[in-house]
Amino acid sequence: MSNGRPVLKLGKHQPRYPLIQGGMGVGISGFRLAGNVARCGAVGTVASVGLAHNSPHYSQEKMSYFDSNEIVIKETLQKAREIAGVDSVLAVNCMVALTDYDREVRAAAEGGADVIISGAGLPLRLPEYTKDFPDVALVPIVSSAKAASLITRRWEKLYGRRPDGFVVEEPATAGGHLGASSIEQVYDQALSMSVALPDTVRFVAEEMKSDIPVIAAGGIWGPGDMDRMFEMGAKGVQMGTRFACTVEGDASDRFKQAYIDAKEEDVVLINSPAGLPGRAIKNPFVADYLSGSVKSSPCFANCMTHCRYRKTRETFCIAGGLIDAFNGKWDTGLFFCGSNVTKVDHLATVKEIMDDLFGR
Ligand SMILES: Cc1cc2nc3c(=O)[nH]c(=O)nc-3n(C[C@H](O)[C@H](O)[C@H](O)COP(=O)(O)O)c2cc1C
């Protein structure tokens, strides 16, 4: 503990503050946000998904989407490090559900990531892809102690390695894809923070007999929320929504304005093409989707291993929707958000948020 706060250690890496800015795709947490958060002493996280979409490598059709992704992940990390400085802690968030997951993870490790944070599925093979980079800390995102146990047992058996921490993300509050099998399960008490966090803390201490950190994510806004998580045994918190609407945030101004404007009745749950529930702002695109009449751009990248849109043309192209949101296209974008989006009332700076959280 330092100043009554836990010290967050992720393998060999120790940020000044026990805070991770969550990876937000597509493009919402790029090099500016991750670099500035890391410069302020927390873990800055680049979201690896779809970074190719606005890169010159891909957009000038010189290279395939997947080849470009690899290059842009490395370029993004390099730019983030230039902002953050050498002693900073930078993570890359890689989603298991992506077609080029293994390539994205390798690119992140080769590109100098200190930590790889991985969810949207169970990262059962993650250590295989980073075996040449033992200093890269590996942190699965889970929604229950059961998932943490399954991953740990598999890694120990196959790779003789253990996770360097777990992010426990609560579907009832978090943004983006949610770790629940259906919309009905999102508010299941078993997946609530008050159950999943202490359960996972207990699993780590009693069954793993380890002191790796458990990090709480979902619905965390201010110092009081952080303290509640620390009291339940978390050694760190991960926050997404609050950081998305910052001066340094990589999304367009229109994306950020949508956050400022969002009211409680605008925040809805949808079934994403990946077969997972997601939380988003109800704009014209989402309203059409919920009423069964959405028009979508064609699949252009085969970006996910399981995609209902690619298979059956049901739902919509999620890459297209998220990229439109990043670019601020209000009528056609999918604006993912956490339930805390209703608290966003201005464009903050990263420093302002850090001062609010730790300046006491
Ligand atoms: C716009 C947006 C995009 C997100 N994209 C990803 C992603 O690509 N991968 C991932 O693992 N989590 C993603 N998340 C989840 C965040 O990393 C974070 O864990 C979560 O939002 C924490 O909850 P909070 O937003 O209430 O702070 C996303 C969240 C938001 C708001």
Side-chain angles (χ1 to χ4, degrees):
M1 292 279 214
S2 110
N3 292 337
R5 287 189 296 260
V7 173
L8 176 61
K9 272 197 191 138
L10 298 165
K12 298 190 169 159
H13 310 284
Q14 188 177 311
R16 203 171 337 130
Y17 299 112
L19 169 69
I20 301 174
Q21 158 259 309
M24 292 176 281
V26 170
I28 313 297
S29 67
F31 72 90
R32 272 187 217 94
L33 182 56
N36 280 287
V37 169
R39 190 165 85 152
C40 285
V43 179
T45 308
V46 167
S48 68
V49 57
L51 281 176
H53 81 272
N54 65 350
S55 85
H57 311 294
Y58 175 62
S59 57
Q60 292 164 16
E61 292 179 22
K62 288 185 207 146
M63 217 181 250
S64 82
Y65 179 79
F66 297 130
D67 288 345
S68 315
N69 260 344
E70 247 183 70
I71 293 186
V72 187
I73 288 167
K74 293 180 189 174
E75 288 173 350
T76 305
L77 270 170
Q78 195 184 338
K79 288 188 209 161
R81 189 75 73 186
E82 277 164 22
I83 296 173
V86 281
D87 292 330
S88 54
V89 184
L90 283 174
V92 176
N93 176 292
C94 298
M95 290 195 288
V96 179
L98 296 174
T99 314
D100 61 342
Y101 173 64
D102 55 335
R103 294 182 67 178
E104 295 198 7
V105 169
R106 282 197 189 96
E110 285 168 12
D114 302 307
V115 185
I116 292 177
I117 301 177
S118 191
L122 296 179
L124 296 176
R125 295 176 65 183
L126 182 56
E128 185 179 323
Y129 310 135
T130 60
K131 63 179 186 320
D132 298 330
F133 299 89
D135 290 351
V136 177
L138 302 181
V139 179
I141 303 174
V142 296
S143 45
S144 66
K146 196 172 149 203
S149 164
L150 212 147
I151 294 165
T152 306
R153 275 187 282 123
R154 181 72 68 94
W155 286 19
E156 281 175 340
K157 187 167 168 221
L158 290 184
Y159 310 109
R161 165 159 196 175
R162 292 176 139 196
D164 294 292
F166 290 106
V167 172
V168 173
E169 192 177 70
E170 185 191 54
T173 48
H177 280 117
L178 306 170
S181 53
S182 63
I183 287 187
E184 294 71 48
Q185 212 201 8
V186 166
Y187 294 103
D188 189 335
Q189 186 60 19
L191 303 183
S192 68
M193 193 64 87
S194 56
V195 174
L197 176 60
D199 267 6
T200 309
V201 168
R202 211 172 305 121
F203 163 73
V204 167
E206 291 173 14
E207 292 185 42
M208 287 181 76
K209 304 208 180 314
S210 165
D211 61 356
I212 59 161
V214 179
I215 297 134
I220 297 159
W221 182 270
D225 302 323
M226 269 193 331
D227 288 348
R228 266 194 299 282
M229 299 303 138
F230 298 152
E231 276 158 24
M232 283 195 280
K235 296 216 183 100
V237 294
Q238 173 167 296
M239 290 170 56
T241 299
R242 193 172 179 191
F243 281 107
C245 187
T246 48
V247 172
E248 297 88 344
D250 292 82
S252 58
D253 290 346
R254 183 65 187 90
F255 180 95
K256 297 171 192 177
Q257 190 60 44
Y259 267 42
I260 294 170
D261 295 342
K263 310 249 176 325
E264 205 158 327
E265 59 274 21
D266 303 325
V267 182
V268 293
L269 293 172
I270 60 160
N271 278 314
S272 105
L276 294 168
R279 181 169 284 104
I281 298 176
K282 189 175 173 186
N283 61 340
F285 178 76
V286 167
D288 283 351
Y289 174 53
L290 292 174
S291 69
S293 64
V294 78
K295 287 192 194 64
S296 181
S297 50
C299 167
F300 64 95
N302 285 341
C303 65
M304 287 188 309
T305 45
H306 299 287
C307 174
R308 273 162 65 207
Y309 183 63
R310 188 177 66 226
K311 271 202 185 140
T312 63
R313 288 289 175 266
E314 275 170 42
T315 67
F316 54 86
C317 171
I318 191 156
L322 292 172
I323 291 167
D324 277 2
F326 167 83
N327 286 319
K329 295 187 183 165
W330 176 245
D331 290 336
T332 54
L334 175 62
F335 291 72
F336 269 158
C337 65
S339 60
N340 269 338
V341 73
T342 54
K343 296 196 177 123
V344 176
D345 60 4
H346 72 290
L347 192 59
T349 62
V350 167
K351 182 172 181 312
E352 185 185 332
I353 297 175
M354 294 299 289
D355 285 350
D356 176 44
L357 293 170
F358 299 108
R360 17 173 199 159

